[in-house]
Amino acid sequence: MSNNMELIDALNQIVKEKGIDSEVIFEAIETSLVTACKKHFGSRTNIKVTLDRNTGAVKCFKQRTVVEVLEDSVTEILLEDARQIDSHYEIGDIVDEIAMLKDFGRIAAQTAKQVVVQKFREAEREILYSEFIAKEKEILNGTIQRKEGKNIIIATGKIDAVLAPNEQIAGEEYRFGERVKVYVVEVKQTPKGPMVSVSRTHPDLVKRLFEQEVPEIFEGVVEIKSISREAGSRSKIAVYSKNPDIDAVGACVGQNGYRVNLIVAELGGEKVDIINWSDEPHEFIAAALSPSKVIAVIPDMETGSSTVVVPNHQLSLAIGKEGQNARLAAKLTGWKIDIKSESQAEEEGFFSTTQFAEMFDETGYTEGEHYEEDEYYEGEYYDEEHYEDEYVDDEIIDEEDNKENS
């Protein structure tokens, strides 16, 4: 009895620590003992095993069905014989007969131990899987543990996550013991436990970082409409607020660029352009080509393509190095974008010089252009060096051009 109580006490203690349903363990032990008893009595014998949840007492029963005519003595018992055991039996009832098995106590103990170990492993795997499947499409904080071939193994506390080569940012160094944030791409259950695949290149990593750092996004006041990303180099993010009193871009940037700088630092210096989303194609496309100014956007609703005209001196800025700015703008907006300089557009007959002049307002911006000078300069701190090199000089030139035009 004491050994049985020790088993129950040990089970209850482990169940409490591991958070496993005790009934699952008890039922598994009973099922395994049924299998062990069948090996002794024969596979055709109907066996029932009970494990008392309070005392730990284990009993084994042969089960036979009460019949009027006996055809199989292994699985059946005559009514008259059954009534010698209990007078209340009727045809079709099941008779439980205590089965005396040599060394049953030792078999029960060994079986219980094996089952407990196996079930705890299965339950732990299931608990881990349930915990991590809930984190799919979310950010995990981890520590770089080791390299396995080209894979980076990241410790997340209870389980190691795998950062595959195609999910690593090109040129980013992963040093042992360094803390890193990763995006959970997929969680799969395997015989060895859950396998967590993570990414540093996924566009939604940027989205989740903004949700963490910008309360207005987390609370739903500001909405992220779309993201385009070339990991390690540049990202563009379009944001929107239904509340006219909330500056969506300003909320994401933060005071003196504090919020966006935290995200840029986490991404290893990756440049981030934050723009206002618009349901008007010409406004959205123009904004997406930031930091370049746009003279005109001619969208073709049927083909989903648009022609964009920019000042002559900003053509290279609009296109970007190796076409990156235009490529990211196209991904962000979902529009095909063909960029032309002012001169090219005039030569190809899009507009005349007079029409170009009429399209500029007093400040030198096109009608509907919502990037004001202050917004450009506010944006410099999240890509300061880039804008100083590629935008501020152009801004000065354009101001001079406007003065000449005026």
Side-chain angles (χ1 to χ4, degrees), residues 126-241:
E126 190 60 38
I127 290 170
L128 279 175
Y129 177 74
S130 299
E131 179 180 337
F132 278 88
I133 195 66
K135 296 178 180 179
E136 204 172 58
K137 314 305 179 189
E138 299 293 338
I139 282 181
L140 276 182
N141 294 313
T143 304
I144 297 171
Q145 191 75 11
R146 63 187 184 278
K147 288 186 178 181
E148 288 185 358
K150 294 183 178 181
N151 292 331
I152 305 297
I153 308 303
I154 298 174
T156 63
K158 295 181 180 180
I159 197 170
D160 290 343
V162 179
L163 183 65
N166 61 319
E167 301 293 351
Q168 299 168 22
I169 296 177
E172 189 171 57
E173 295 184 13
Y174 301 98
R175 301 181 182 89
F176 173 78
E178 190 176 60
R179 291 193 62 77
V180 66
K181 290 184 177 182
V182 291
Y183 178 77
V184 182
V185 178
E186 184 181 30
V187 179
K188 292 193 298 186
Q189 185 68 289
T190 71
K192 294 183 178 180
M195 186 177 79
V196 180
S197 300
V198 296
S199 174
R200 287 278 294 167
T201 62
H202 201 288
D204 280 352
L205 173 62
V206 179
K207 181 179 181 180
R208 295 295 183 229
L209 287 172
F210 270 96
E211 289 173 349
Q212 285 187 352
E213 300 298 339
V214 182
E216 290 86 347
I217 294 178
F218 180 79
E219 294 165 3
V221 178
V222 173
E223 182 182 352
I224 297 174
K225 286 291 190 176
S226 61
I227 293 178
S228 60
R229 185 184 185 201
E230 293 190 1
S233 179
R234 194 181 201 94
S235 289
K236 286 181 181 285
I237 176 170
V239 294
Y240 172 76
S241 175

